[in-house]
Amino acid sequence: MSRSAGVLVVEHIAAGLVEKHQIAGALKTFPEKGDSRDALLSMPAEHIAGKIAEIVSAVAKGSSLTAVGVGFPGIIRDGIVEESPNLQQIKGFNLRDAIENAMAANGIRVPVRIYNDADATAAGIATTRGLQPKLNRVWTLGNGVGFGRYPGSEGAWEGGHSVVSLDPKENFCGCGGRGHLEGFLGYRAMRLRFLDLEPEEVFENAQSGDARCVEFVSRCHRALAAATATSIHMEGPGPFYLTGPNVNWIDVGTLDRLVHDMVKMSPLQGSRFEVIPTNDELGIIGAASNALAAAGH
Ligand SMILES: [Zn+2]
């Protein structure tokens, strides 16, 4: 039987064994407990690779692996992290080789494949639900805003950096670009925008009617609707899944209405949103399944 391991790196590292598109056994995470939002920010690239190899070796428990798939935030090409706005230290780093070498040092020789984290999550949603043939798109809302698609295809697909505002003062995105979706909805960007409030407080205050926070929450929804509408205008309608640590801040009914106002051509209608509570398992399963397929299984 083909056993593979999947890893998802978002605000923390999570890994698990995957058999037949399901998690087998318990997941391992780093850090193990507590608020891990900033755990990886100051960690050198080599250490991140070493930590991934360490917890994959731990979940494998000496059994052989056919492939290891890793979902990692940023633009990934041939195992190299070409850009990762929220983990700048890893830009240009060959993550695949570093993990393979660290695994080999632990006595495990296995091919490693690296995918964009949101693409891995999209693959996990598609494989666990048997949705493969259709285009499935995913927004992941965390420190950054990820955009994933399954089936994967050539391209950068940095949907989180879609331009949704022409206001030159909108410069909160982690990549430095102006007017980006992540500049509204990224956790880090919200902290920069509201120096006096944590993002959690902004959404709480909006619930109780604070005008400044109500206005911002409304703009967040318009920004996400705008980026979704652009994706629909470029690639057509279909399901959009919303997940990630901050997904509970989004009201799907509002988002649906806004997209309906932004997409009027009849062949492009019929998209829908679905919230998937944040979890590591989908990204782990997706990364492992993609890696297994790439290894010819
Ligand atoms: Zn950006």
Side-chain angles (χ1 to χ4, degrees):
M1 182 176 11
S2 289
R3 277 187 135 189
S4 53
V7 181
L8 185 69
V9 181
V10 190
E11 269 105 44
H12 58 241
I13 303 170
L17 276 186
V18 177
E19 278 176 13
K20 295 181 180 161
H21 305 313
Q22 288 184 339
I23 300 279
L27 299 186
K28 280 210 178 294
T29 60
F30 171 84
E32 286 180 22
K33 289 197 185 76
D35 181 17
S36 56
R37 212 180 272 276
D38 298 332
L40 304 178
L41 295 183
S42 57
M43 192 183 258
E46 283 285 353
H47 290 197
I48 293 176
K51 199 46 97 172
I52 292 170
E54 182 186 316
I55 63 172
V56 169
S57 305
V59 296
K61 288 188 194 141
S63 67
S64 71
L65 296 174
T66 311
V68 175
V70 179
F72 197 90
I75 300 178
I76 316 292
R77 192 184 301 271
D78 296 333
I80 295 168
V81 182
E82 294 191 332
E83 185 65 82
S84 187
N86 295 301
L87 292 170
Q88 290 280 357
Q89 71 272 33
I90 208 158
K91 177 172 176 157
F93 186 70
N94 192 325
L95 186 61
R96 180 188 60 204
D97 285 1
I99 297 171
E100 283 184 353
N101 292 340
M103 297 283 298
N106 293 344
I108 302 175
R109 296 203 168 273
V110 59
V112 174
R113 289 281 198 297
I114 317 289
Y115 302 95
N116 171 271
D117 61 322
D119 283 343
T121 300
I125 292 167
T127 49
T128 53
R129 295 182 174 207
L131 301 175
Q132 283 96 329
K134 283 196 300 191
L135 174 58
N136 299 278
R137 283 163 281 191
V138 176
W139 294 112
T140 60
L141 309 180
N143 244 346
V145 174
F147 176 74
R149 59 202 301 295
Y150 187 88
S153 93
E154 274 294 307
W157 302 113
E158 282 294 322
H161 302 270
S162 299
V163 174
V164 295
S165 168
L166 300 181
D167 182 347
K169 291 195 291 297
E170 284 297 337
N171 64 344
F172 300 108
C173 188
C175 81
R178 287 180 200 269
H180 292 187
L181 172 61
E182 185 178 307
F184 290 89
L185 263 179
Y187 191 86
R188 178 187 169 280
M190 286 182 207
R191 277 187 151 167
L192 292 174
R193 179 186 301 267
F194 288 90
L195 295 171
D196 57 332
L197 293 173
E198 287 294 338
E200 289 81 0
E201 296 174 303
V202 172
F203 285 84
E204 275 165 30
N205 293 359
Q207 292 274 328
S208 50
D210 176 278
R212 177 177 65 140
C213 296
V214 168
E215 158 68 12
F216 174 70
V217 169
S218 162
R219 274 160 34 104
C220 280
H221 282 80
R222 293 184 67 79
L224 185 54
T228 302
T230 297
S231 179
I232 294 168
H233 285 123
M234 300 296 274
E235 289 201 278
F240 286 82
Y241 299 93
L242 305 171
T243 189
N246 303 332
V247 72
N248 52 345
W249 292 341
I250 297 299
D251 180 78
V252 167
T254 303
L255 204 53
D256 259 329
R257 267 198 313 283
L258 289 167
V259 170
H260 198 257
D261 288 344
M262 292 175 182
V263 178
K264 286 297 181 191
M265 288 183 253
S266 60
L268 300 185
Q269 285 173 6
S271 292
R272 63 180 181 83
F273 290 101
E274 182 179 333
V275 169
I276 297 181
T278 188
N279 72 74
D280 294 322
E281 299 196 359
L282 291 169
I284 289 171
I285 292 169
S289 300
N290 278 351
L292 211 51
H297 291 265

PDB file of all heavy atoms in Angstrom, residues 9 25 28 48 52 55 58 68 72 87 98 112 163 177 181 186 196 199-200 218 240-241 259 271 275 279 296:
ATOM      1  N   VAL A   9       2.208  24.037   6.012  1.00  0.00           N
ATOM      2  CA  VAL A   9       2.867  25.112   6.755  1.00  0.00           C
ATOM      3  C   VAL A   9       2.019  26.361   6.562  1.00  0.00           C
ATOM      4  O   VAL A   9       1.888  26.854   5.442  1.00  0.00           O
ATOM      5  CB  VAL A   9       4.302  25.353   6.238  1.00  0.00           C
ATOM      6  CG1 VAL A   9       4.975  26.456   7.053  1.00  0.00           C
ATOM      7  CG2 VAL A   9       5.116  24.067   6.295  1.00  0.00           C
ATOM      8  N   GLY A  25      -3.630   7.893  11.645  1.00  0.00           N
ATOM      9  CA  GLY A  25      -2.933   8.200  12.899  1.00  0.00           C
ATOM     10  C   GLY A  25      -3.045   9.667  13.261  1.00  0.00           C
ATOM     11  O   GLY A  25      -3.771  10.430  12.625  1.00  0.00           O
ATOM     12  N   LYS A  28       1.053  15.608  13.833  1.00  0.00           N
ATOM     13  CA  LYS A  28       2.046  16.260  14.690  1.00  0.00           C
ATOM     14  C   LYS A  28       2.168  17.712  14.244  1.00  0.00           C
ATOM     15  O   LYS A  28       2.112  18.004  13.041  1.00  0.00           O
ATOM     16  CB  LYS A  28       3.410  15.581  14.553  1.00  0.00           C
ATOM     17  CG  LYS A  28       3.531  14.304  15.347  1.00  0.00           C
ATOM     18  CD  LYS A  28       4.978  14.088  15.784  1.00  0.00           C
ATOM     19  CE  LYS A  28       5.137  12.835  16.621  1.00  0.00           C
ATOM     20  NZ  LYS A  28       4.452  12.884  17.916  1.00  0.00           N
ATOM     21  N   ILE A  48      13.433  25.771   9.386  1.00  0.00           N
ATOM     22  CA  ILE A  48      12.068  25.380   8.999  1.00  0.00           C
ATOM     23  C   ILE A  48      12.128  24.037   8.257  1.00  0.00           C
ATOM     24  O   ILE A  48      11.360  23.123   8.549  1.00  0.00           O
ATOM     25  CB  ILE A  48      11.401  26.474   8.124  1.00  0.00           C
ATOM     26  CG1 ILE A  48      11.168  27.747   8.968  1.00  0.00           C
ATOM     27  CG2 ILE A  48      10.080  25.970   7.535  1.00  0.00           C
ATOM     28  CD1 ILE A  48      10.599  28.919   8.188  1.00  0.00           C
ATOM     29  N   ILE A  52      10.470  20.498   9.523  1.00  0.00           N
ATOM     30  CA  ILE A  52       9.535  19.723   8.697  1.00  0.00           C
ATOM     31  C   ILE A  52      10.025  18.274   8.608  1.00  0.00           C
ATOM     32  O   ILE A  52       9.257  17.322   8.822  1.00  0.00           O
ATOM     33  CB  ILE A  52       9.384  20.353   7.284  1.00  0.00           C
ATOM     34  CG1 ILE A  52       8.661  21.695   7.375  1.00  0.00           C
ATOM     35  CG2 ILE A  52       8.646  19.400   6.339  1.00  0.00           C
ATOM     36  CD1 ILE A  52       8.678  22.502   6.075  1.00  0.00           C
ATOM     37  N   ILE A  55       9.437  16.366  11.954  1.00  0.00           N
ATOM     38  CA  ILE A  55       8.101  15.882  12.310  1.00  0.00           C
ATOM     39  C   ILE A  55       7.562  14.873  11.285  1.00  0.00           C
ATOM     40  O   ILE A  55       6.782  14.003  11.649  1.00  0.00           O
ATOM     41  CB  ILE A  55       7.091  17.014  12.639  1.00  0.00           C
ATOM     42  CG1 ILE A  55       6.817  17.911  11.467  1.00  0.00           C
ATOM     43  CG2 ILE A  55       7.510  17.827  13.842  1.00  0.00           C
ATOM     44  CD1 ILE A  55       5.683  18.893  11.774  1.00  0.00           C
ATOM     45  N   ALA A  58       8.950  11.729  12.459  1.00  0.00           N
ATOM     46  CA  ALA A  58       8.232  11.295  13.663  1.00  0.00           C
ATOM     47  C   ALA A  58       6.901  10.639  13.305  1.00  0.00           C
ATOM     48  O   ALA A  58       6.545   9.602  13.877  1.00  0.00           O
ATOM     49  CB  ALA A  58       8.016  12.472  14.596  1.00  0.00           C
ATOM     50  N   VAL A  68       6.489  12.550  -0.082  1.00  0.00           N
ATOM     51  CA  VAL A  68       6.137  13.571   0.907  1.00  0.00           C
ATOM     52  C   VAL A  68       5.700  14.818   0.145  1.00  0.00           C
ATOM     53  O   VAL A  68       6.401  15.289  -0.751  1.00  0.00           O
ATOM     54  CB  VAL A  68       7.337  13.920   1.823  1.00  0.00           C
ATOM     55  CG1 VAL A  68       6.982  15.074   2.757  1.00  0.00           C
ATOM     56  CG2 VAL A  68       7.771  12.704   2.629  1.00  0.00           C
ATOM     57  N   PHE A  72       3.088  25.024   1.218  1.00  0.00           N
ATOM     58  CA  PHE A  72       3.844  26.135   1.803  1.00  0.00           C
ATOM     59  C   PHE A  72       3.357  27.448   1.196  1.00  0.00           C
ATOM     60  O   PHE A  72       3.130  27.516  -0.011  1.00  0.00           O
ATOM     61  CB  PHE A  72       5.343  25.935   1.504  1.00  0.00           C
ATOM     62  CG  PHE A  72       6.243  26.760   2.381  1.00  0.00           C
ATOM     63  CD1 PHE A  72       6.716  26.260   3.582  1.00  0.00           C
ATOM     64  CD2 PHE A  72       6.591  28.057   2.009  1.00  0.00           C
ATOM     65  CE1 PHE A  72       7.529  27.027   4.402  1.00  0.00           C
ATOM     66  CE2 PHE A  72       7.389  28.838   2.831  1.00  0.00           C
ATOM     67  CZ  PHE A  72       7.866  28.314   4.030  1.00  0.00           C
ATOM     68  N   LEU A  87       6.801  35.098   4.991  1.00  0.00           N
ATOM     69  CA  LEU A  87       7.977  34.393   5.533  1.00  0.00           C
ATOM     70  C   LEU A  87       9.166  34.770   4.634  1.00  0.00           C
ATOM     71  O   LEU A  87       9.703  33.953   3.897  1.00  0.00           O
ATOM     72  CB  LEU A  87       7.754  32.874   5.554  1.00  0.00           C
ATOM     73  CG  LEU A  87       6.691  32.338   6.530  1.00  0.00           C
ATOM     74  CD1 LEU A  87       6.411  30.866   6.281  1.00  0.00           C
ATOM     75  CD2 LEU A  87       7.107  32.558   7.976  1.00  0.00           C
ATOM     76  N   ALA A  98      16.363  20.881   0.655  1.00  0.00           N
ATOM     77  CA  ALA A  98      16.717  20.976   2.077  1.00  0.00           C
ATOM     78  C   ALA A  98      15.976  19.912   2.888  1.00  0.00           C
ATOM     79  O   ALA A  98      16.550  19.275   3.777  1.00  0.00           O
ATOM     80  CB  ALA A  98      16.411  22.376   2.602  1.00  0.00           C
ATOM     81  N   VAL A 112      10.410  14.509  -2.208  1.00  0.00           N
ATOM     82  CA  VAL A 112       9.596  15.553  -1.577  1.00  0.00           C
ATOM     83  C   VAL A 112       9.099  16.496  -2.677  1.00  0.00           C
ATOM     84  O   VAL A 112       9.842  16.831  -3.596  1.00  0.00           O
ATOM     85  CB  VAL A 112      10.442  16.319  -0.538  1.00  0.00           C
ATOM     86  CG1 VAL A 112       9.665  17.514   0.029  1.00  0.00           C
ATOM     87  CG2 VAL A 112      10.882  15.384   0.590  1.00  0.00           C
ATOM     88  N   VAL A 163      -5.752  43.197  -7.187  1.00  0.00           N
ATOM     89  CA  VAL A 163      -5.962  44.604  -6.861  1.00  0.00           C
ATOM     90  C   VAL A 163      -7.463  44.847  -6.730  1.00  0.00           C
ATOM     91  O   VAL A 163      -8.232  44.583  -7.651  1.00  0.00           O
ATOM     92  CB  VAL A 163      -5.346  45.514  -7.936  1.00  0.00           C
ATOM     93  CG1 VAL A 163      -5.688  46.978  -7.666  1.00  0.00           C
ATOM     94  CG2 VAL A 163      -3.833  45.325  -7.957  1.00  0.00           C
ATOM     95  N   GLY A 177       2.705  45.659  -2.377  1.00  0.00           N
ATOM     96  CA  GLY A 177       1.921  46.206  -3.477  1.00  0.00           C
ATOM     97  C   GLY A 177       0.705  46.964  -2.963  1.00  0.00           C
ATOM     98  O   GLY A 177       0.147  46.623  -1.921  1.00  0.00           O
ATOM     99  N   LEU A 181      -6.012  42.683  -2.111  1.00  0.00           N
ATOM    100  CA  LEU A 181      -6.969  42.009  -1.232  1.00  0.00           C
ATOM    101  C   LEU A 181      -6.355  41.707   0.134  1.00  0.00           C
ATOM    102  O   LEU A 181      -6.957  41.964   1.170  1.00  0.00           O
ATOM    103  CB  LEU A 181      -7.443  40.703  -1.900  1.00  0.00           C
ATOM    104  CG  LEU A 181      -8.310  39.784  -1.029  1.00  0.00           C
ATOM    105  CD1 LEU A 181      -9.591  40.484  -0.598  1.00  0.00           C
ATOM    106  CD2 LEU A 181      -8.617  38.492  -1.787  1.00  0.00           C
ATOM    107  N   GLY A 186      -5.752  40.323   5.197  1.00  0.00           N
ATOM    108  CA  GLY A 186      -4.662  39.624   5.878  1.00  0.00           C
ATOM    109  C   GLY A 186      -4.588  40.063   7.339  1.00  0.00           C
ATOM    110  O   GLY A 186      -4.793  41.243   7.654  1.00  0.00           O
ATOM    111  N   ASP A 196      -4.481  50.601  16.998  1.00  0.00           N
ATOM    112  CA  ASP A 196      -5.039  50.636  18.353  1.00  0.00           C
ATOM    113  C   ASP A 196      -5.929  49.433  18.667  1.00  0.00           C
ATOM    114  O   ASP A 196      -6.404  49.290  19.788  1.00  0.00           O
ATOM    115  CB  ASP A 196      -5.844  51.929  18.550  1.00  0.00           C
ATOM    116  CG  ASP A 196      -6.955  52.074  17.499  1.00  0.00           C
ATOM    117  OD1 ASP A 196      -6.797  51.536  16.372  1.00  0.00           O
ATOM    118  OD2 ASP A 196      -7.974  52.711  17.801  1.00  0.00           O
ATOM    119  N   PRO A 199      -7.154  42.640  15.316  1.00  0.00           N
ATOM    120  CA  PRO A 199      -8.190  42.296  14.329  1.00  0.00           C
ATOM    121  C   PRO A 199      -9.441  41.684  14.966  1.00  0.00           C
ATOM    122  O   PRO A 199     -10.564  41.978  14.541  1.00  0.00           O
ATOM    123  CB  PRO A 199      -7.471  41.298  13.419  1.00  0.00           C
ATOM    124  CG  PRO A 199      -6.036  41.714  13.487  1.00  0.00           C
ATOM    125  CD  PRO A 199      -5.808  42.169  14.904  1.00  0.00           C
ATOM    126  N   GLU A 200      -9.258  40.844  15.987  1.00  0.00           N
ATOM    127  CA  GLU A 200     -10.420  40.243  16.665  1.00  0.00           C
ATOM    128  C   GLU A 200     -11.348  41.333  17.209  1.00  0.00           C
ATOM    129  O   GLU A 200     -12.575  41.226  17.129  1.00  0.00           O
ATOM    130  CB  GLU A 200      -9.962  39.348  17.832  1.00  0.00           C
ATOM    131  CG  GLU A 200      -9.281  38.051  17.422  1.00  0.00           C
ATOM    132  CD  GLU A 200      -7.808  38.216  17.046  1.00  0.00           C
ATOM    133  OE1 GLU A 200      -7.286  39.359  17.090  1.00  0.00           O
ATOM    134  OE2 GLU A 200      -7.186  37.203  16.680  1.00  0.00           O
ATOM    135  N   SER A 218     -17.284  45.929   6.156  1.00  0.00           N
ATOM    136  CA  SER A 218     -17.993  46.005   4.877  1.00  0.00           C
ATOM    137  C   SER A 218     -16.991  46.040   3.719  1.00  0.00           C
ATOM    138  O   SER A 218     -17.163  45.347   2.702  1.00  0.00           O
ATOM    139  CB  SER A 218     -18.892  47.250   4.872  1.00  0.00           C
ATOM    140  OG  SER A 218     -19.249  47.578   3.565  1.00  0.00           O
ATOM    141  N   PHE A 240     -16.449  28.232  -4.741  1.00  0.00           N
ATOM    142  CA  PHE A 240     -15.345  28.868  -4.019  1.00  0.00           C
ATOM    143  C   PHE A 240     -15.451  28.437  -2.561  1.00  0.00           C
ATOM    144  O   PHE A 240     -16.500  28.615  -1.932  1.00  0.00           O
ATOM    145  CB  PHE A 240     -15.445  30.400  -4.087  1.00  0.00           C
ATOM    146  CG  PHE A 240     -15.074  30.968  -5.425  1.00  0.00           C
ATOM    147  CD1 PHE A 240     -15.999  30.995  -6.465  1.00  0.00           C
ATOM    148  CD2 PHE A 240     -13.805  31.488  -5.642  1.00  0.00           C
ATOM    149  CE1 PHE A 240     -15.663  31.517  -7.699  1.00  0.00           C
ATOM    150  CE2 PHE A 240     -13.453  32.018  -6.877  1.00  0.00           C
ATOM    151  CZ  PHE A 240     -14.389  32.036  -7.915  1.00  0.00           C
ATOM    152  N   TYR A 241     -14.381  27.874  -2.049  1.00  0.00           N
ATOM    153  CA  TYR A 241     -14.356  27.450  -0.648  1.00  0.00           C
ATOM    154  C   TYR A 241     -13.559  28.469   0.160  1.00  0.00           C
ATOM    155  O   TYR A 241     -12.532  28.970  -0.301  1.00  0.00           O
ATOM    156  CB  TYR A 241     -13.730  26.061  -0.523  1.00  0.00           C
ATOM    157  CG  TYR A 241     -14.518  25.024  -1.272  1.00  0.00           C
ATOM    158  CD1 TYR A 241     -14.195  24.700  -2.593  1.00  0.00           C
ATOM    159  CD2 TYR A 241     -15.620  24.413  -0.696  1.00  0.00           C
ATOM    160  CE1 TYR A 241     -14.942  23.770  -3.301  1.00  0.00           C
ATOM    161  CE2 TYR A 241     -16.374  23.483  -1.391  1.00  0.00           C
ATOM    162  CZ  TYR A 241     -16.030  23.169  -2.699  1.00  0.00           C
ATOM    163  OH  TYR A 241     -16.770  22.250  -3.405  1.00  0.00           O
ATOM    164  N   VAL A 259     -21.134  39.536  -4.782  1.00  0.00           N
ATOM    165  CA  VAL A 259     -20.651  38.939  -6.032  1.00  0.00           C
ATOM    166  C   VAL A 259     -21.756  38.979  -7.083  1.00  0.00           C
ATOM    167  O   VAL A 259     -21.507  39.238  -8.266  1.00  0.00           O
ATOM    168  CB  VAL A 259     -20.135  37.494  -5.797  1.00  0.00           C
ATOM    169  CG1 VAL A 259     -19.876  36.788  -7.126  1.00  0.00           C
ATOM    170  CG2 VAL A 259     -18.864  37.525  -4.957  1.00  0.00           C
ATOM    171  N   SER A 271     -21.935  30.821  -9.394  1.00  0.00           N
ATOM    172  CA  SER A 271     -20.891  30.479  -8.423  1.00  0.00           C
ATOM    173  C   SER A 271     -21.511  30.371  -7.041  1.00  0.00           C
ATOM    174  O   SER A 271     -22.592  30.897  -6.788  1.00  0.00           O
ATOM    175  CB  SER A 271     -19.801  31.556  -8.399  1.00  0.00           C
ATOM    176  OG  SER A 271     -19.089  31.547  -9.612  1.00  0.00           O
ATOM    177  N   VAL A 275     -18.167  27.743   3.396  1.00  0.00           N
ATOM    178  CA  VAL A 275     -17.159  27.883   4.443  1.00  0.00           C
ATOM    179  C   VAL A 275     -16.753  26.506   4.946  1.00  0.00           C
ATOM    180  O   VAL A 275     -17.610  25.665   5.221  1.00  0.00           O
ATOM    181  CB  VAL A 275     -17.697  28.738   5.613  1.00  0.00           C
ATOM    182  CG1 VAL A 275     -16.752  28.666   6.817  1.00  0.00           C
ATOM    183  CG2 VAL A 275     -17.877  30.179   5.165  1.00  0.00           C
ATOM    184  N   ASN A 279      -8.835  23.867   9.271  1.00  0.00           N
ATOM    185  CA  ASN A 279      -8.209  22.626   9.741  1.00  0.00           C
ATOM    186  C   ASN A 279      -6.985  22.356   8.893  1.00  0.00           C
ATOM    187  O   ASN A 279      -6.881  22.804   7.759  1.00  0.00           O
ATOM    188  CB  ASN A 279      -9.198  21.459   9.696  1.00  0.00           C
ATOM    189  CG  ASN A 279      -9.499  21.009   8.294  1.00  0.00           C
ATOM    190  OD1 ASN A 279      -8.668  20.363   7.655  1.00  0.00           O
ATOM    191  ND2 ASN A 279     -10.663  21.340   7.766  1.00  0.00           N
ATOM    192  N   GLY A 296       3.847   9.057  -9.519  1.00  0.00           N
ATOM    193  CA  GLY A 296       3.343   8.031 -10.413  1.00  0.00           C
ATOM    194  C   GLY A 296       2.460   6.991  -9.768  1.00  0.00           C
ATOM    195  O   GLY A 296       2.293   5.896 -10.282  1.00  0.00           O
TER     196      GLY A 296
END
